[in-house]
């Protein structure tokens, strides 16, 4: 999943020899700090930005789009949380175009954001869910979870996937144990409760003249104080 995303979207993966994966398109990341899309009052207009991104894609394709792959919290793009309502709007765009919604929860799954899975925050159900990192507790374990309809079509068409360690009993046993412990000890509630403590503490120190702390429901993000140029970095 990570390699595919890197090959499709990271400029470092294309530098010097062109795109590795033709047929991939990238929507703008909903980043309020740098986005030029604004309401008249200056607040971030993520919906206009998302609609604009889709309009550009629609003008470049034949309409035979397969799927959207998205993280509930954009990780290597800057730990950017999606605006409230964004995931639902993305799902609607997928339905309009007959596309699948694939949510990558390698870093946010298994209770890390206050729910077992971050997509539950908005009640959006993906067609395909990918898990890894948090599922294996340090061991190389991943899972692709899909709907019964997708599984049926893959079976009928003879889809075949295999790796050397596919269904390795050792890492599968660890993954099963992780699921048991996360549910038994209610890690999601622990994350929610500790997140509130962290949020309160960050709000208390946000009066510092050196740093601006943008606190969302899911993750705190450190930013420079207003007045710093956008190209100055974080």
């Amino acid at each position: 999943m990570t390699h595919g995303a890197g090959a499709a979207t990271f400029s470092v993966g294309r530098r010097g020899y062109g795109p590795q994966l033709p047929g991939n398109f990238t929507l703008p990341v909903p980043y309020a700090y740098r986005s030029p899309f604004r309401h008249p009052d200056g607040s971030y207009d993520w919906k206009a930005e998302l609609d604009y991104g889709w309009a550009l894609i629609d003008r470049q394709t034949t309409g035979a789009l397969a799927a959207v792959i998205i993280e509930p919290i954009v990780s290597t793009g800057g730990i950017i949380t999606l605006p409230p309502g964004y995931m639902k709007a993305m799902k609607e765009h997928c339905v309009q175009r007959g596309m699948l919604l694939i949510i990558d929860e390698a870093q946010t799954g298994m209770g890390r954001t206050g729910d077992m899975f971050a997509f539950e925050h908005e009640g959006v159900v993906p067609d395909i869910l990918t898990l890894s990192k948090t599922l294996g507790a340090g061991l190389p374990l991943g899972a692709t979870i899909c709907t019964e309809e997708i599984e049926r079509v893959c079976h009928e068409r003879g889809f075949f996937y295999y790796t050397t360690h596919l269904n390795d009993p050792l890492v599968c046993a660890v993954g099963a144990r992780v699921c048991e412990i996360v549910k038994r000890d209610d890690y999601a509630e622990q994350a929610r409760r500790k997140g509130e403590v962290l949020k309160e503490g960050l709000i208390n120190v946000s009066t510092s003249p050196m740093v601006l702390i943008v606190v969302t429901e899911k993750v705190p993000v450190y930013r420079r104080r207003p007045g710093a140029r956008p190209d100055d970095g974080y």
Side-chain angles (χ1 to χ4, degrees), residues 105 107-121 129 131 134-135 178-184 186-189 191-192:
E105 294 230 26
Q107 299 194 51
T108 57
M110 307 305 294
R112 281 188 167 188
T113 63
D115 284 303
M116 182 60 77
F117 304 110
F119 68 78
E120 295 180 276
H121 295 327
L129 173 68
L131 301 173
T134 53
L135 181 62
V178 167
C179 292
E180 177 187 333
I181 293 173
V182 168
K183 185 175 181 180
R184 182 196 69 195
D186 202 355
Y187 274 22
E189 176 58 30
R192 188 182 300 113

Side-chain angles (χ1 to χ4, degrees), residues 199-222:
K199 178 180 177 179
E200 181 180 353
L202 290 172
I203 290 175
N204 289 336
V205 301
S206 64
T207 55
S208 167
M210 300 302 295
V211 67
L212 169 66
I213 302 178
V214 181
V215 181
T216 72
E217 293 181 359
K218 301 173 189 173
V219 62
V221 181
Y222 296 84

Side-chain angles (χ1 to χ4, degrees), residues 160-166:
F160 182 76
Y161 176 77
Y162 186 80
T163 67
T164 304
H165 292 283
L166 186 68

